[in-house]
Amino acid sequence: MTAHQDAPLRIHPVATKDDLREFVELAYRLNRGDPAWVPPLKSEVYALLTPGKNPWFDHGTAQLFLARRGTRTVGRISAHIDRLALEQPAEQGMGPGTGNWGLLEAEEEETAQALLAAAENWLREQGMTRALGPLSISIWDEPGLLVEGFETPPTIMLGHNSPLYAPWIEAAGYGQAKDLFNYVVDIADGFPPIVNRIVAAGEKNARIRIRRVDKSRFEDEARLIMTILNDAWSDNWGFVPLTDGEIAHVGKKLKTLVFEDLIRVAELDGEPVAFMIVLPNINELLIDMHGSLLPFHWAKLLWWLRKPKSRRLRVPLMGVVKKLQHSRMASTLAFMMIEYIRRDGVTKYRAKQGDIGWVLEDNQGMRAVADAIEAKVNRIYRLYDKPLG
């Protein structure tokens, strides 16, 4: 047994720049031996956690915690409250009294249990009656704990964690709140005949127009897509509306990964009513960069972004306005956007597979679309909750 293992465990709030650095660095140390873990760029992690850089803090507050034995950092967790989430209906997953935790990393179970307790105590002090997690930090970032699909690296904007964490969290009294599915589908040879027939029928409908986004009007296009998103997802479990500041932030963050032929907007009678965003999988590059663009990784990244080739593409977001949901038209628009982007993804980006997700376990519409194109679940993320008595 090493000296630090004999030392008592201490949990304390992150209060200094050195504390924050240890909070960020710990994930890289603990996950270094996992070949499926993709190290995020450290600059992105610091931006996520920094008020003034992340507009989530305009309506949210967070406290970070470190666990130490002696001088060694052995764990971390965040506790946070989103005031917009508190305003949502309780039956949609958030609502009054619901606080969150996330960004959990721990060397062993005792540390994980102590960190969860610290996060829960902080939430209680803020008047919360329920803990829901993990969220990193917003529902729009990386929600859920990976519970199935540890064998392969995740695609862009999906998380990865140790398989040990689920039993540790459950031992702390947490139960399943909701599962989020990620699907994978082979796209090189096209989709089943039924999908092709739906697309062909849609192409004969003069009311429908499927267009690429116009990157020269990027801010307007981003605002349009996020407006559709806020409407399309407003009744979804866990929904929290994106603010104007967050929409601008997301647009700026993703602009370098936006390629016009991978994002479609569907118009019906001239009105934008649906969208689909597909991103090349930059994780194929990041996995070997160790979280830094220095000394020469920046050049590799710029070259890749110039004309990316991506074995797998990911659909992080798509939506149809609420008034069309559960209609045949909604399915037609979805299949047309998927097929048009598939064609460009294969011919221009050499993609072989597509990821779709995450998809709520009870989102029957999206699950039916995934089944129709013969997509299979390859990763499951779980959100846990617990009453704070």
Side-chain angles (χ1 to χ4, degrees):
M1 182 175 288
T2 61
H4 85 267
Q5 290 174 311
D6 288 330
L9 182 66
R10 296 179 297 112
I11 309 294
H12 66 89
V14 168
T16 67
K17 288 184 178 180
D18 285 343
D19 288 343
L20 181 60
R21 179 184 55 78
E22 289 198 37
F23 187 95
V24 171
E25 292 288 342
L26 179 67
Y28 297 83
R29 173 164 62 83
L30 293 189
N31 292 291
R32 189 174 295 131
D34 186 343
W37 188 70
V38 180
L41 291 175
K42 292 178 184 178
S43 59
E44 294 287 326
V45 181
Y46 280 108
L48 174 73
L49 300 174
T50 304
K53 292 187 177 181
N54 182 354
W56 178 88
F57 285 96
D58 294 341
H59 54 86
T61 183
Q63 178 61 63
L64 310 180
F65 293 92
L66 288 174
R68 287 194 174 114
R69 292 187 187 275
T71 59
R72 181 180 174 88
T73 299
V74 294
R76 73 177 199 186
I77 200 170
S78 62
H80 32 96
I81 298 169
D82 187 334
R83 292 187 294 278
L84 291 182
L86 298 180
E87 297 171 4
Q88 304 310 305
E91 61 270 18
Q92 285 183 220
M94 293 292 191
T98 297
N100 307 116
W101 56 266
L103 300 168
L104 175 68
E105 299 284 357
E107 287 192 358
E108 33 70 36
E109 184 172 3
E110 181 188 2
T111 297
Q113 301 279 354
L115 287 164
L116 286 165
E120 292 163 12
N121 287 337
W122 184 86
L123 292 174
R124 284 192 194 93
E125 291 169 359
Q126 312 305 311
M128 299 297 102
T129 57
R130 172 178 175 246
L132 174 73
L135 299 179
S136 307
I137 288 179
S138 160
I139 191 74
W140 295 105
D141 290 313
E142 291 182 2
L145 186 86
L146 183 66
V147 294
E148 289 186 27
F150 296 96
E151 301 79 14
T152 57
T155 49
I156 179 174
M157 297 171 65
L158 286 176
H160 189 84
N161 53 261
S162 168
L164 297 173
Y165 290 174
W168 295 352
I169 291 167
E170 291 163 11
Y174 283 86
Q176 175 186 346
K178 191 71 69 173
D179 277 357
L180 314 174
F181 295 157
N182 188 74
Y183 288 83
V184 64
V185 59
D186 292 329
I187 62 173
D189 297 324
F191 296 132
I194 181 62
V195 174
N196 297 329
R197 288 196 294 271
I198 293 172
V199 171
E203 290 173 333
K204 296 175 183 177
N205 189 334
R207 301 175 61 202
I208 297 173
R209 179 191 178 211
I210 308 293
R211 67 171 179 85
R212 294 179 172 90
V213 295
D214 182 354
K215 201 169 181 179
S216 68
R217 299 174 50 250
F218 181 79
E219 291 184 4
D220 291 339
E221 296 280 55
R223 193 175 302 111
L224 168 66
I225 287 173
M226 293 304 167
T227 299
I228 297 174
L229 175 69
N230 271 341
D231 177 76
W233 286 40
S234 59
D235 292 336
N236 280 10
W237 187 95
F239 174 77
V240 178
L242 286 164
T243 66
D244 289 344
E246 287 172 308
I247 290 171
H249 177 72
V250 170
K252 182 178 179 181
K253 182 177 177 181
L254 294 180
K255 187 172 184 179
T256 56
L257 288 172
V258 166
F259 296 89
E260 292 181 334
D261 42 15
L262 293 181
I263 301 180
R264 293 294 200 280
V265 173
E267 298 176 355
L268 184 66
D269 298 325
E271 176 191 356
V273 294
F275 74 93
M276 178 175 168
I277 295 176
V278 173
L279 300 175
N281 183 27
I282 197 172
N283 280 7
E284 294 174 17
L285 205 64
L286 294 181
I287 196 166
D288 296 320
M289 289 189 174
H290 312 295
S292 175
L293 292 178
L294 300 175
F296 302 116
H297 291 152
W298 61 270
K300 186 189 298 185
L301 178 62
L302 289 176
W303 180 259
W304 186 87
L305 288 171
R306 180 173 168 267
K307 195 170 183 181
K309 296 293 181 278
S310 182
R311 185 180 63 83
R312 182 176 289 182
L313 302 173
R314 178 168 180 238
V315 185
L317 293 172
M318 67 182 299
V320 180
V321 292
K322 200 180 331 185
K323 66 183 180 181
L324 291 179
Q325 290 175 5
H326 312 298
S327 71
R328 184 174 297 179
M329 178 60 71
S331 298
T332 298
L333 298 177
F335 286 127
M336 291 178 74
M337 292 187 294
I338 290 170
E339 170 58 13
Y340 288 4
I341 295 177
R342 183 201 69 81
R343 295 172 189 172
D344 283 340
V346 171
T347 59
K348 299 179 181 180
Y349 298 86
R350 301 180 188 170
K352 304 295 185 185
Q353 292 182 316
D355 265 22
I356 302 174
W358 43 265
V359 175
L360 287 163
E361 61 180 328
D362 50 7
N363 186 336
Q364 299 304 322
M366 274 306 305
R367 295 196 66 183
V369 168
D371 289 342
I373 62 175
E374 299 182 347
K376 305 297 182 186
V377 174
N378 70 329
R379 300 174 79 83
I380 298 177
Y381 294 85
R382 181 161 297 160
L383 280 160
Y384 292 91
D385 68 351
K386 174 183 177 180
L388 298 177

